[in-house]
Amino acid sequence: MNKVFYAACLVFLSGIFISCSKNDIDFNEPTPKNNIDLQKLLELVNNVRSEGTTCGSTYYPPVGSIVWNGKLEIAALKHSKDMMDNNFFSHTSSNGDTFLTRIGDAGYIYSSAGENIAMGYPSEESVMNGWLTSQGHCANIMNSSFTEMGVGRVENYWTQNFGKPKE
C-alpha cells in the first residue's frame, strides 16, 4: 500500500512540475538599467517650459513644470531597449505596439500623452537640443496639458514619454 501511495504522489508531483514549464510561466523581462541623469533631464525640460520657446515658427509661452513618473520611465526605457535590440527607430514597437499601448501596459492611466524619440545623442543636453530643433518634439516638451514625464535611454536610443494622469 505504501509503495502505491508513494508512486501515486510521485506521479502527481511530476505532473505539477511538468505542467509548469518555462513556456507556461510569464517571466517578465527585467527592466534594463536607465543610462540617464533624470534630475538633469527634468531640469532641462522645466527650464525650457518656464521660459517659453519657439518651436519651428510657433512661439510657445511659458507653461507649468512637470514631474518625473516612474511608469512613464519604464515604458520609455523598454521602448529604447526594443529599438536598440532590434536595430530600428520608430514610435511603433517591433511587435506593432504604439506608445499609448506601451504606457498603458506600464500601468499609466492617462488623459493625454505624447512621445519623443531620438537616436545617436551622447548626453542629456545634446538630446534636448535635438528635440528642441524638431517642431513636433519641441511642441511635446511645451505642451501645457502634460504634467509628468519619464525618459529611458539604452545606449544612444532615447524615448521621452509625457502624460497627464486621468483623474
Side-chain angles (χ1 to χ4, degrees):
M1 168 93 171
N2 283 341
K3 287 182 182 180
V4 172
F5 175 75
Y6 289 123
C9 287
L10 182 61
V11 168
F12 175 74
L13 290 175
S14 296
I16 289 173
F17 289 118
I18 291 169
S19 69
C20 292
S21 70
K22 182 177 177 183
N23 292 334
D24 294 336
I25 298 173
D26 182 22
F27 287 101
N28 290 323
E29 186 176 314
T31 303
K33 181 183 179 320
N34 202 359
N35 199 10
I36 62 166
D37 182 340
L38 72 92
Q39 283 301 115
K40 179 176 286 256
L41 266 172
L42 197 54
E43 181 180 306
L44 290 167
V45 168
N46 281 328
N47 284 346
V48 171
R49 287 173 66 93
S50 71
E51 295 170 4
T53 193
T54 300
C55 301
S57 59
T58 305
Y59 175 72
Y60 288 83
V63 295
S65 63
I66 58 175
V67 297
W68 196 263
N69 181 282
K71 291 177 182 178
L72 291 174
E73 176 187 9
I74 288 169
L77 189 55
K78 288 186 176 187
H79 186 57
S80 291
K81 183 170 180 354
D82 181 33
M83 289 191 293
M84 194 264 317
D85 287 348
N86 294 294
N87 194 30
F88 74 98
F89 184 69
S90 173
H91 288 282
T92 304
S93 296
S94 62
N95 68 357
D97 285 347
T98 67
F99 82 93
L100 294 175
T101 301
R102 291 190 297 273
I103 65 175
D105 287 349
Y108 190 79
I109 311 292
Y110 61 90
S111 62
S112 63
E115 177 178 78
N116 290 344
I117 59 175
M119 182 178 67
Y121 294 95
S123 68
E124 290 78 5
E125 295 87 357
S126 65
V127 77
M128 270 298 293
N129 287 335
W131 282 328
L132 290 173
T133 60
S134 162
Q135 186 166 355
H137 294 113
C138 181
N140 273 342
I141 291 169
M142 294 304 297
N143 189 324
S144 63
S145 70
F146 299 150
T147 59
E148 299 179 330
M149 175 183 85
V151 178
R153 175 186 179 193
V154 176
E155 292 189 13
N156 284 327
Y157 288 87
W158 300 76
T159 305
Q160 181 180 43
N161 286 333
F162 295 97
K164 178 179 183 178
K166 193 171 195 173
E167 296 175 7

